[in-house]
Amino acid sequence: MNKNQFKAIVIFDIDGVIRDVGNSYRKAIADTVEEFTDGGWRPTMEDLDNLKSEGIWNNDWEASQELTYRYFEAMDKTRQEVQLDYDHLVEFFQSRYRGNNPEVFDGYIAHEPLLVSQRYLQQLSDKQIGWGFFSGATRGSAEYILKQRLKLDYPILVAMEDAPSKPDPTGMFDAISQVETNPSTVPAFYLGDTVADMYTVAKAREIAPERKWIGVGILPPHVQTADRQADYAQKLMAAGAEIVLSNVEKLTLQMIEDLSN
C-alpha cells in the first residue's frame, strides 16, 4: 500500500488493549509490592486501577515503587527512611513477569491472552487505514507479543526505551511518522486502556491541532464486570475518550469513518 494514501491512522497501546495483562503485569506489580513490604500488603486490581487513574503511573516498575512507598508512609515512615533499591525492585519484577531466564520468556508473559487478531489488523490495511503501536512496555516484551504471538512482520513500534512516558505524546508522534512516509493531517486514533492514554491524546491535540485526534478508551478484561465497568468507562471519558469499547475489534471500519468526520 502507498503510505501516502491512508484515510486515517490508528495507533494502539499494547497492555490491556492488545494483550490481557491482568494476570501478568498487574500480578507482577502485586507480587513486587508484597515482596518489598515484607508481606505487609498485596494491592488489589482496584488499588492498581486507582493508582493508574492518577494518569502518571504508566511505568509499572515506578508504579510498584510508588505503591510500596505509600504503604510505608501509611505506617508513618518517610521515603528517606525506607530507601527502596529501585534496581533490585525492577529485577524482582522482571523475574516474575518475564521470567528468570533472560533468553526465554517463561514468566507471566508467556500466558497472556491476546485481545486482537491478525485478521483485524489486515482489514485495516485493506481499507487504507495505517496502524502501529506506542506502548510503555519494554521493547523485548512488546516485540514478543507482536512478533511471536501475533506473527506480525516488522511492526511499527515505539516502546518504553524509545520515548518519554505517557502522557507525553512524543512516542505517538514518532509512531505516526513511521506509519506515513510524508507528513499529513489525516485523523489519528489512539486506543488505550488508561487515563494516561487519554491524556496523551489531549496533549497531542494541544501540540498539533492541525490533525484530528481521537482517543478511544478500551476496557481491559479485568474491569468488565457489572460493578466496575461503568465507573472505569466514566474515568476514561472524563480523561478525554471520544468513545469507550470493550475490545479493540469493536472499533469497526464504519466507526473509524464516522469518528474521522
Side-chain angles (χ1 to χ4, degrees):
M1 185 199 313
N2 187 330
K3 290 185 177 182
N4 299 322
Q5 296 178 347
F6 290 136
K7 297 175 181 175
I9 294 172
V10 178
I11 304 297
F12 300 92
D13 181 27
I14 293 179
D15 301 335
V17 176
I18 298 299
R19 60 180 172 192
D20 180 358
V21 297
N23 284 308
S24 56
Y25 263 128
R26 285 170 170 263
K27 188 176 179 181
I29 294 175
D31 286 354
T32 303
V33 175
E34 186 174 42
E35 173 72 12
F36 284 82
T37 59
D38 298 319
W41 180 43
R42 184 177 181 84
T44 65
M45 284 286 192
E46 194 162 3
D47 291 327
L48 302 184
D49 287 336
N50 288 338
L51 182 75
K52 295 282 188 178
S53 71
E54 295 177 14
I56 58 174
W57 303 107
N58 190 61
N59 182 311
D60 287 336
W61 301 336
E62 294 177 356
S64 300
Q65 177 180 248
E66 180 64 19
L67 287 170
T68 303
Y69 273 135
R70 291 186 187 187
Y71 166 81
F72 284 113
E73 286 175 334
M75 301 292 109
D76 292 325
K77 291 186 178 181
T78 67
R79 298 188 181 211
Q80 289 72 25
E81 289 175 306
V82 177
Q83 286 280 312
L84 289 174
D85 183 333
Y86 184 70
D87 290 340
H88 183 206
L89 183 146
V90 170
E91 182 181 3
F92 179 87
F93 182 103
Q94 290 296 82
S95 73
R96 291 296 191 269
Y97 177 69
R98 185 163 176 166
N100 289 308
N101 185 342
E103 302 303 319
V104 180
F105 289 88
D106 57 358
Y108 298 150
I109 188 175
H111 308 289
E112 294 171 330
L114 293 176
L115 301 175
V116 70
S117 65
Q118 189 187 79
R119 178 174 172 272
Y120 174 77
L121 298 172
Q122 185 59 51
Q123 287 177 339
L124 296 181
S125 296
D126 292 344
K127 293 298 181 178
Q128 296 177 295
I129 307 295
W131 50 271
F133 304 90
F134 168 42
S135 171
T138 64
R139 176 162 287 276
S141 165
E143 287 188 342
Y144 171 79
I145 212 73
L146 298 179
K147 293 182 177 181
Q148 296 191 41
R149 297 287 305 285
L150 268 173
K151 307 297 184 185
L152 300 178
D153 295 326
Y154 310 110
I156 289 171
L157 167 66
V158 177
M160 184 181 76
E161 301 92 332
D162 307 320
S165 292
K166 293 176 277 188
D168 188 312
T170 301
M172 184 163 61
F173 294 153
D174 188 13
I176 289 171
S177 71
Q178 293 180 53
V179 170
E180 53 185 13
T181 52
N182 293 315
S184 77
T185 57
V186 299
F189 292 71
Y190 188 52
L191 276 64
D193 69 318
T194 68
V195 166
D197 293 328
M198 298 304 102
Y199 286 169
T200 302
V201 177
K203 288 184 178 294
R205 195 175 291 125
E206 292 174 7
I207 296 170
E210 67 279 1
R211 188 191 295 271
K212 185 171 186 179
W213 299 93
I214 301 125
V216 178
I218 303 295
L219 294 173
H222 75 272
V223 304
Q224 295 192 33
T225 57
D227 60 330
R228 299 206 56 203
Q229 185 165 321
D231 178 62
Y232 199 95
Q234 190 278 328
K235 287 179 179 176
L236 291 176
M237 293 293 290
E242 294 281 338
I243 191 169
V244 176
L245 305 172
S246 61
N247 178 266
V248 168
E249 297 192 13
K250 298 287 187 181
L251 183 68
T252 63
L253 295 167
Q254 184 60 54
M255 193 176 294
I256 291 173
E257 183 177 339
D258 292 343
L259 289 171
S260 295
N261 295 326

